[in-house]
Amino acid sequence: MAAHLSRADNETDLTTTHEINANLNNARHLFKISAAEPQQFDGGNLRGATEDNFPVLSGQNGSVYLVRLEVGGIREPHWHPTAWELNYVVSGSAKWTILGTHLDGSYTNDVFEAGQGDLVFAPQGFFHYFENARTDMPLDVLIIFNTSAREGSDDIGIKAALNAIPRDVLATTLGIPTSALDTVPTDITPVVITKRR
């Protein structure tokens, strides 16, 4: 009788699990991020869940992105004025650089590598970027933001930042001749993801 009850309980659990799985496919709290339409870039792609395509996030100050960097792929150096980000390395290995200030006014530049299963936190306003550290496989990183803004809407990239500064001021700041900046692109379109040349 105990064996019969265990079997019946298992059958009930299987039915319940099946019903739950069937309902999750249509649930408003489920977003299949790996199946979302990717934004394609030279060095990889970006899939996002925001309040625009995942309405349950509306008013929640949250968004999630799945970034894939191909071999040689680089996420443009940037910072987020109004958001922090928490990065989970799904697969591969990422080389990170995070630059921020501290109470003593000095700059702290953290350079490190994060592997599968690691978490990396980039504080709000800190300049940062990451790149695929491997030469034999892609890098997949899941990024959680504490903002509902779409990626790119709360993002100031290095290319735009350089172009916001007059060339003579930038050259003076860097201690180089203005002519050294002649090949810096003048458009301010975001790079988002690029690839080593």
Side-chain angles (χ1 to χ4, degrees):
M1 176 125 183
H4 180 271
L5 286 175
S6 293
R7 192 176 127 219
D9 287 344
N10 286 340
E11 287 174 0
T12 301
D13 288 345
L14 290 174
T15 302
T16 303
T17 301
H18 174 72
E19 288 171 358
I20 289 171
N21 286 338
N23 288 331
L24 280 179
N25 289 328
N26 300 312
R28 68 184 187 109
H29 293 91
L30 174 71
F31 186 84
K32 295 181 183 260
I33 196 164
S34 61
E37 187 67 31
Q39 288 179 269
Q40 294 291 347
F41 300 94
D42 189 30
N45 64 55
L46 179 69
R47 300 168 196 267
T50 68
E51 63 186 12
D52 294 338
N53 60 358
F54 193 22
V56 74
L57 291 176
S58 183
Q60 299 299 313
N61 292 324
S63 56
V64 180
Y65 286 86
L66 182 60
V67 175
R68 169 165 276 205
L69 296 183
E70 300 299 339
V71 171
I74 301 170
R75 172 64 176 100
E76 179 186 14
H78 65 284
W79 64 94
H80 304 281
T82 64
W84 52 253
E85 67 181 68
L86 186 60
N87 301 264
Y88 176 75
V89 180
V90 177
S91 64
S93 182
K95 181 179 177 186
W96 273 87
T97 296
I98 301 177
L99 174 67
T101 59
H102 292 271
L103 293 176
D104 64 2
S106 65
Y107 286 107
T108 301
N109 189 30
D110 291 331
V111 178
F112 55 92
E113 200 165 299
Q116 183 176 353
D118 290 342
L119 283 175
V120 176
F121 183 74
Q124 178 178 328
F126 278 41
F127 185 73
H128 61 281
Y129 85 98
F130 62 94
E131 62 184 288
N132 187 345
R134 301 280 299 263
T135 59
D136 61 339
M137 66 181 291
L139 166 69
D140 292 309
V141 178
L142 186 72
I143 306 173
I144 300 167
F145 293 97
N146 68 327
T147 181
S148 297
R150 295 185 65 191
E151 180 68 7
S153 299
D154 182 50
D155 176 316
I156 299 174
I158 188 69
K159 187 175 174 188
L162 289 176
N163 279 290
I165 305 167
R167 292 291 198 251
D168 61 328
V169 172
L170 183 57
T172 300
T173 302
L174 296 174
I176 59 174
T178 304
S179 61
L181 301 170
D182 288 348
T183 59
V184 174
T186 57
D187 66 315
I188 58 168
T189 56
V191 175
V192 185
I193 296 173
T194 191
K195 189 173 186 176
R196 284 191 187 279
R197 307 279 177 231

